[in-house]
Structure formats: structure tokens, C-alpha cells
Amino acid sequence: MSEVVKDAWSAYLKQLQLNPLRTKAITSGVLAGSSDVIAQKIAGNKKIQLRRLFLIMLYGFAYAGPFGHFLHKFMEIIFKGKKGKETTAKKVLLEQLTTSPWNNMFFMAYYGLVVERRPFSQVKSKIKNDYPTVQLTSWKLWPIVSWINYQYIPLQLRVLFHSFIASCWAVFLNLKARSITAKKD
């Protein structure tokens, strides 16, 4: 590993220790923004929509990063001192039955109402039509990610790991959530 990468990783870990919430929020925002740039390019956008990019980064910074930070702290409180595969399975099940459905629905609502500025009735209809597919697809990926996260990733790095995988997942969500008008840009 090069010295630059080692130094950057050391600085990142130090920031995680000194300012965990802020570091996780910034990390999540940057990764959310990266996924949006990729999603826009895949969608064929010639020019990056800066407003959309900013709002997706804001979602990662203000919601996803802090939510992950407190979720993992809360899971450690609920399962304090418990280890092993059975505990991991319980954490995964709890997360997948509670926060996964909420996060997917919240993202779809945020995207429609805030990013695309669509009326509530249209967003509600889109969620009603697309949410079951999004959630079922989510359950094909996220239980595996959560298992790895809870079983093998240290607590302080779980939001980073989750945010990295979420950046890939967000490409799917972005493409699923975008409206027909976005295709015309």
C-alpha cells in the first residue's frame, strides 16, 4: 500500500475516533454524491445535474450517515456483550424488518418530493407502484451486507462499509426512482 493511501487511511481513522458522527456524515454524503454521478451517467445525462447531485449528497450527509451512526450504536446497546452467529442473525433480522423498509420508502419519498419536486400525489402513486419491487430487491442484497457488517466489520467502520455498498445500491434506487422527465435531460 502506498504511503499516501496509508496516510489518508490513518487520517480517516483518526477523524472517526475524534469526530465519529461528522466523519460518517461526510463519508456518506460523498459516497451518495459519487453514486448519483454514476447514476446520471448511466442514465445518459450529458451534463451533471448539480442541484440533484447536491440534494443527494445532502441526503447522505444529513440523513444516511447520521442514521447509520445511531443505528449501529443502538444495535450495540440492544445486543450488548452478545456475540456469535445467532446474535448476528438477530441483528440482521431486526434491521431488515425495521430500518430497511423505512429507509427505502424514505429515500423514494425524498427523491420524488425534494429532488424531483413532484406533487405528493404523484410521489405517493410512484411509491405505491414501485416500493414492493424495491423492497423485495433490497432483501436480496442487504441481508448479506448486514451479515458481513455485523459479523466481520468493526463498529467504527460499519457506516463506511454500509455507505460504500449503499452507493452501489443507490445507483439502482436512483434509476428506479427517476421520473420520465429526467430521461429527457
Side-chain angles (χ1 to χ4, degrees):
M1 193 182 305
S2 76
E3 285 302 312
V4 173
V5 174
K6 281 183 184 178
D7 291 346
W9 182 245
S10 293
Y12 182 80
L13 291 176
K14 184 175 182 179
Q15 285 303 309
L16 262 179
Q17 193 172 39
L18 297 174
N19 303 294
L21 180 58
R22 180 177 68 190
T23 303
K24 292 170 190 175
I26 292 169
T27 300
S28 187
V30 168
L31 288 171
S34 300
S35 72
D36 187 59
V37 169
I38 293 167
Q40 287 191 47
K41 287 298 179 184
I42 289 172
N45 294 0
K46 302 279 187 233
K47 186 177 176 185
I48 298 297
Q49 299 170 11
L50 295 178
R51 179 185 173 279
R52 171 180 149 167
L53 174 60
F54 170 76
L55 291 172
I56 295 297
M57 290 180 77
L58 180 63
Y59 174 86
F61 175 77
Y63 175 76
F67 185 90
H69 171 79
F70 290 111
L71 168 67
H72 292 293
K73 287 182 80 162
F74 185 62
M75 287 292 209
E76 290 305 306
I77 291 168
I78 293 173
F79 297 98
K80 187 176 182 174
K82 296 180 182 173
K83 303 278 183 209
K85 292 180 180 178
E86 185 178 326
T87 299
T88 300
K90 288 177 183 178
K91 287 179 180 180
V92 170
L93 186 62
L94 180 60
E95 181 180 294
Q96 292 307 306
L97 294 177
T98 58
T99 64
S100 174
W102 164 256
N103 282 333
N104 288 326
M105 190 173 299
F106 185 78
F107 179 82
M108 292 177 76
Y110 176 84
Y111 193 91
L113 293 169
V114 177
V115 177
E116 293 185 323
R117 295 188 246 186
R118 288 188 281 145
F120 179 76
S121 61
Q122 286 181 9
V123 173
K124 182 179 172 185
S125 176
K126 183 141 184 78
I127 290 172
K128 184 178 180 181
N129 291 333
D130 293 350
Y131 176 76
T133 302
V134 169
Q135 189 58 49
L136 289 173
T137 304
S138 170
W139 282 331
K140 293 175 184 175
L141 168 69
W142 285 104
I144 297 164
V145 172
S146 294
W147 181 273
I148 293 167
N149 211 8
Y150 289 119
Q151 187 71 25
Y152 303 108
I153 306 296
L155 177 61
Q156 72 272 20
L157 296 176
R158 288 182 189 159
V159 173
L160 172 63
F161 177 75
H162 185 100
S163 293
F164 175 74
I165 303 299
S167 68
C168 300
W169 172 245
V171 171
F172 167 77
L173 282 181
N174 271 299
L175 295 175
K176 187 72 180 163
R178 69 186 169 93
S179 69
I180 294 171
T181 57
K183 291 180 185 178
K184 295 177 184 176
D185 291 343

